[in-house]
Amino acid sequence: MSIKFSLDGYGRAGRNGVGILLFLDGRPQPYRLEGDTDYQYMHRFTLNNEIIYPVFYFTPITGQAGDTLEMTTLTVLYPEYLPSKGNPGMMTYTRGSLGVSFPLQIDATPAEAKIPEKLTLLSEPEITYEPCAPQDVLGWENDDFQIKYGHESEVNGMTNGLNVFENFHKEALDLKYSLWGTTLVHYTVVYFLNNEPLYLPDGSCLDLEVQEGMKTVARLTMDTSTLTGEDVVYAVLVPRNARFTTPKTDAFVVGERQWFLLAGENPNK
């Protein structure tokens, strides 16, 4: 299958490049460009005040004949930035990222998809259901609980503040993801290390459901044995059926804040 994409970039953002991630039914979808043979999860494009129309070729990672699944794209800014490159002077990675979703009709059961080797660096998650705090739903009316959603990503015990961990030498990175609100939408949370998706030990993704009036909390860890000394981690929340619910909800793909893991000192103090 293939989809034609419209991509424009101007000024520094275009020159520093953008990366495109695809998700099908919440799963990271590898794809290739015309003339290539290798399938990758992210392709990077440099634009010099122009609009381009790349075609993405892929074999659906999931689904069978007759299915209509939600396809989601996420545009990631300056996907090769690391703190050693100095002050980026612009938003990077998921900060300022843009998403698009649309239904994809699968006319024939796909052949086995060509995919890169999976990085099974995530532990089995511990999933609990906890009461929402009043501040989680502040200002929500009764009808809002059917259409609104809330989410929070925590990395190494942090949700905000400086997003650089210096002198990081832990054997595992603590991850926590919280989700609440509408129960109509099914979600997948995909963690990325250096723009490559991470999987659970059995090669599956972290799928989450929401119970009415409760907060779904997933706790897990990431194996850090493959870190290079300067790495970036982020999560993407991908609704799997947001375009198909009745009523329509506010749920949409979200690139969570990126976090840099450094073996040494932060060079940008």
Side-chain angles (χ1 to χ4, degrees), residues 3-258:
I3 55 174
K4 188 175 184 180
F5 202 77
S6 174
L7 188 60
D8 61 89
Y10 299 90
R12 178 179 292 174
R15 292 193 300 271
N16 285 336
V18 297
I20 305 296
L21 296 169
L22 301 185
F23 304 88
L24 181 61
D25 193 33
R27 279 74 181 129
Q29 172 66 60
Y31 64 101
R32 65 174 178 85
L33 303 179
E34 191 166 0
D36 291 346
T37 57
D38 292 337
Y39 288 77
Q40 302 176 28
Y41 290 107
M42 175 185 281
H43 287 267
R44 299 163 177 81
F45 302 87
T46 301
L47 302 109
N48 187 18
N49 299 326
E50 59 184 326
I51 302 176
I52 62 174
Y53 301 94
V55 178
F56 302 156
Y57 297 90
F58 62 96
T59 300
I61 200 73
T62 187
Q64 53 189 331
D67 287 347
T68 300
L69 302 177
E70 188 157 336
M71 172 70 88
T72 303
T73 71
L74 187 71
T75 301
V76 178
L77 301 179
Y78 200 175
E80 296 179 341
Y81 172 74
L82 291 170
S84 60
K85 296 185 177 183
N87 188 333
M90 58 170 285
M91 294 184 289
T92 63
Y93 292 96
T94 50
R95 188 181 177 199
S97 58
L98 299 173
V100 175
S101 68
F102 53 90
L104 182 75
Q105 174 72 46
I106 298 180
D107 297 324
T109 298
E112 184 176 353
K114 297 179 179 179
I115 63 173
E117 183 178 357
K118 288 185 175 181
L119 299 178
T120 53
L121 299 180
L122 299 178
S123 69
E124 286 291 345
E126 175 193 355
I127 298 178
T128 58
Y129 301 93
E130 306 170 4
C132 289
Q135 61 267 26
D136 294 331
V137 293
L138 187 64
W140 289 21
E141 304 293 340
N142 287 339
D143 291 344
D144 291 336
F145 286 85
Q146 195 171 27
I147 60 173
K148 289 188 176 182
Y149 72 121
H151 53 93
E152 183 177 69
S153 177
E154 181 179 304
V155 174
N156 203 33
M158 300 286 290
T159 58
N160 50 43
L162 183 65
N163 64 334
V164 178
F165 295 115
E166 300 178 293
N167 302 305
F168 184 85
H169 301 288
K170 294 177 64 176
E171 294 182 357
L173 179 68
D174 295 322
L175 304 171
K176 177 182 174 182
Y177 202 92
S178 303
L179 186 63
W180 62 94
T182 178
T183 61
L184 298 175
V185 179
H186 312 301
Y187 302 89
T188 300
V189 177
V190 183
Y191 284 97
F192 286 83
L193 173 63
N194 300 328
N195 299 313
E196 293 291 329
L198 304 180
Y199 293 87
L200 301 177
D202 64 356
S204 64
C205 296
L206 178 60
D207 294 335
L208 296 180
E209 306 288 339
V210 176
Q211 296 183 356
E212 186 171 359
M214 304 294 285
K215 178 188 292 187
T216 300
V217 181
R219 295 176 175 88
L220 63 165
T221 61
M222 184 195 85
D223 180 353
T224 60
S225 62
T226 64
L227 295 185
T228 66
E230 189 177 27
D231 303 86
V232 61
V233 172
Y234 56 88
V236 179
L237 175 65
V238 189
R240 304 200 307 274
N241 65 326
R243 299 190 66 89
F244 308 126
T245 63
T246 303
K248 293 298 183 184
T249 71
D250 294 342
F252 200 66
V253 60
V254 176
E256 300 286 4
R257 191 181 194 201
Q258 71 270 14

Side-chain angles (χ1 to χ4, degrees), residues 255-267:
E256 300 286 4
R257 191 181 194 201
Q258 71 270 14
W259 297 85
F260 296 100
L261 311 177
L262 306 183
E265 300 288 331
N266 181 5

